[in-house]
């Protein structure tokens, strides 16, 4: 059995807060180190333990995070900074991932905030991690959002643990990380929310067929408590083939994600379809109708790799049956010819005896 679990500790604040994520202060049983942010003077709400700063164009600032190690061994940390993104579940991610930056994102957090690539927290000691912040000289509205992920580098330890686990017939790897959100604002001007539907296309999630709908938040603001209602029909037909409704989602500023509509194990069929979708957030509502096409070769490729679809081997059975029939016919012909030959030889032998 092989399993990998990645756990991120985050505290959810009141739902009325625009930026609802923070780190869990202190240490947890799964960690060998603890984390505590040093709240700066320009913190918007000093009760929050993540960084939510009011800044100015071109401003330079040093942020500090206290790292504490209560163990008897040094702890190595590899800090990573990344812009906030939205995953396929409609959840904002502040850590590193493979989601591409949105086309409307003006500034990446990793370009604004720099820190050390490797940190050693001494045994029974502390380390003050400094974040160098340099704001763009050009003023921006809304919020630039991102975060820093703090995860122990346990490469050597993991190798030893994995070796022991393999000897026991197991291969389990648990990884835990602190993520500290970083939000930067230069003003509190009101921004009108705006969502766009970019594309509709067949795809897969966890080797299962879906219709993906790419939704984009083009504005530098969070889209909170977002709901989506969607249905797919054949083009010019009212019968609903697939539908999906979801509530309580959130999108990061200037981000997009592929909203999956499950086919529930059904095969994709080539043809022309129509998507109807309604999204609502921040007191606004958007309705889209989009026609899209599924090509035959795409449908076949996805169907062949969908783990929930029972494979159709009819063609294979036909081929095997044909081969069996052909072999039986050949054997029958051989038998008839051999029988005929034996009869002819027997006739010759009888004729010779009569003479």
């Amino acid at each position: 059995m092989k399993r990998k679990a990645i756990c991120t500790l985050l505290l959810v604040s009141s739902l009325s807060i625009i930026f609802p994520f923070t780190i869990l202060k202190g240490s947890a049983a799964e960690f060998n180190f603890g984390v505590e942010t040093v709240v700066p003077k320009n913190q918007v709400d000093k009760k929050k333990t993540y960084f939510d700063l009011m800044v100015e164009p071109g401003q330079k600032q040093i942020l500090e995070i206290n790292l504490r190690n209560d163990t008897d061994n040094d702890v190595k940390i590899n800090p990573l900074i990344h812009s906030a993104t939205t995953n396929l579940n409609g959840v904002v991610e502040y850590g590193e991932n493979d989601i591409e930056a949105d086309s409307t994102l003006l500034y990446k957090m990793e370009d604004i905030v720099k820190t050390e690539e490797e940190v050693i927290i001494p045994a029974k000691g502390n380390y003050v991690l400094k974040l160098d912040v340099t704001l763009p000289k050009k003023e921006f509205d809304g919020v630039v959002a991102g975060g820093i992920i703090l995860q122990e580098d346990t490469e050597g330890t993991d190798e030893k643990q994995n070796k022991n686990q393999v000897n026991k017939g197991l291969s389990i790897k648990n990884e835990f990380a602190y993520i500290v959100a970083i939000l930067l604002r230069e003003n509190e001007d009101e921004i009108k929310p705006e969502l766009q539907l970019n594309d509709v296309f067949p795809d897969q999630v966890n080797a299962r067929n879906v219709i993906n709908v790419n939704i984009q938040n083009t504005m530098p603001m969070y889209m909170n408590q977002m709901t989506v209602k969607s249905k797919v029909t054949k083009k010019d037909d009212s019968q609903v083939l697939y539908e999906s409704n979801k509530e309580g989602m959130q999108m990061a500023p200037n981000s997009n994600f592929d909203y999956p509509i499950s086919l529930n194990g059904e095969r994709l069929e080539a043809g022309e379809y129509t998507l109807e979708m309604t999204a609502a957030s921040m007191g606004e509502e958007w309705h889209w109708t989009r026609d899209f096409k599924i090509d035959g070769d795409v449908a076949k490729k996805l169907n062949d790799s969908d783990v929930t679809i029972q494979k159709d081997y009819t063609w294979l059975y036909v081929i095997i049956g044909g081969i069996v029939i052909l072999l039986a016919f050949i054997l029958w012909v051989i038998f008839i010819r051999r029988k005929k030959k034996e009869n002819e030889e027997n006739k010759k032998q009888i004729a010779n005896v009569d003479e």
Side-chain angles (χ1 to χ4, degrees), residues 178-353:
Y178 287 100
I179 294 180
V180 183
I182 304 173
L183 309 177
L184 305 173
R185 296 184 276 179
E186 292 185 350
N187 59 63
E188 295 183 350
D189 295 346
E190 185 178 354
I191 297 175
K192 184 179 180 181
E194 183 61 43
L195 290 180
Q196 290 185 3
L197 187 151
N198 288 333
D199 197 9
V200 186
F201 56 97
D203 204 348
Q204 288 190 340
V205 174
N206 296 326
R208 291 163 173 81
N209 288 345
V210 299
I211 302 296
N212 265 340
V213 185
N214 185 264
I215 303 173
Q216 182 182 31
N217 173 17
T218 63
M219 305 306 292
M221 64 179 295
Y222 284 84
M223 302 297 289
N224 295 317
Q225 294 300 307
M226 187 172 79
T227 64
V228 169
K229 297 180 180 180
S230 59
K231 61 181 180 180
V232 174
T233 64
K234 280 280 192 178
K235 187 177 179 180
D236 299 325
D237 193 347
S238 60
Q239 182 180 357
V240 177
L241 301 176
Y242 319 111
E243 60 182 335
S244 175
N245 302 319
K246 194 169 181 180
E247 301 177 348
M249 294 186 293
Q250 185 189 43
M251 290 191 69
N254 300 108
S255 69
N256 70 85
F257 76 109
D258 293 332
Y259 178 85
I261 302 174
S262 174
L263 270 62
N264 301 315
E266 294 184 22
R267 299 177 64 86
L268 276 170
E269 294 185 5
E272 295 185 344
Y273 296 83
T274 299
L275 165 77
E276 287 190 26
M277 174 176 280
T278 299
S281 178
M282 311 304 289
E284 300 287 340
E285 186 173 280
W286 297 265
H287 182 76
W288 303 292
T289 300
R290 180 72 58 86
D291 293 332
F292 64 100
K293 184 179 180 180
I294 299 179
D295 294 328
D297 55 343
V298 174
K300 182 180 184 306
K301 181 179 179 181
L302 293 175
N303 289 335
D304 288 344
S305 58
D306 189 316
V307 297
T308 64
I309 295 177
Q310 187 173 358
K311 307 305 178 186
D312 184 4
Y313 295 109
T314 302
W315 62 272
L316 182 60
Y317 298 147
V318 171
I319 292 176
I320 294 174
I323 293 174
V324 171
I325 293 172
L326 179 61
L327 289 174
F329 176 76
I330 293 174
L331 291 174
W332 179 78
V333 170
I334 294 174
F335 174 79
I336 293 299
R337 288 182 176 179
R338 184 174 295 176
K339 195 68 176 175
K340 183 178 181 182
K341 185 176 181 182
E342 290 177 354
N343 291 335
E344 290 177 352
E345 290 178 351
N346 289 335
K347 289 180 180 180
K348 288 180 180 179
Q349 291 177 357
I350 294 172
N352 291 334
V353 171

Side-chain angles (χ1 to χ4, degrees), residues 28-86:
E30 297 84 359
F31 288 83
N32 290 321
F33 69 101
V35 172
E36 184 175 7
T37 55
V38 178
V39 178
K41 293 181 179 180
N42 58 332
Q43 178 87 351
V44 175
D45 186 345
K46 291 181 171 55
K47 294 180 181 179
K48 304 304 178 187
T49 53
Y50 57 82
F51 294 114
D52 184 5
L53 310 179
M54 186 64 68
V55 294
E56 297 178 355
Q59 176 181 326
K60 294 185 178 181
Q61 182 175 357
I62 302 295
L63 302 177
E64 294 182 349
I65 299 176
N66 287 327
L67 305 177
R68 187 183 73 255
N69 176 12
D70 294 329
T71 72
D72 296 325
N73 301 304
D74 292 347
V75 172
K76 184 167 71 171
I77 305 293
N78 300 120
L80 291 171
I81 297 172
H82 199 268
S83 295
T85 53
T86 306

Side-chain angles (χ1 to χ4, degrees), residues 83-84 105-109 112 135-136 140-146 182-185 220 222 253-254:
S83 295
L105 183 66
L106 295 178
Y107 304 110
K108 296 181 180 180
M109 187 61 70
I112 296 175
L135 274 298
F140 62 81
D141 293 323
V143 61
V144 175
I182 304 173
L183 309 177
L184 305 173
R185 296 184 276 179
Y222 284 84
N254 300 108

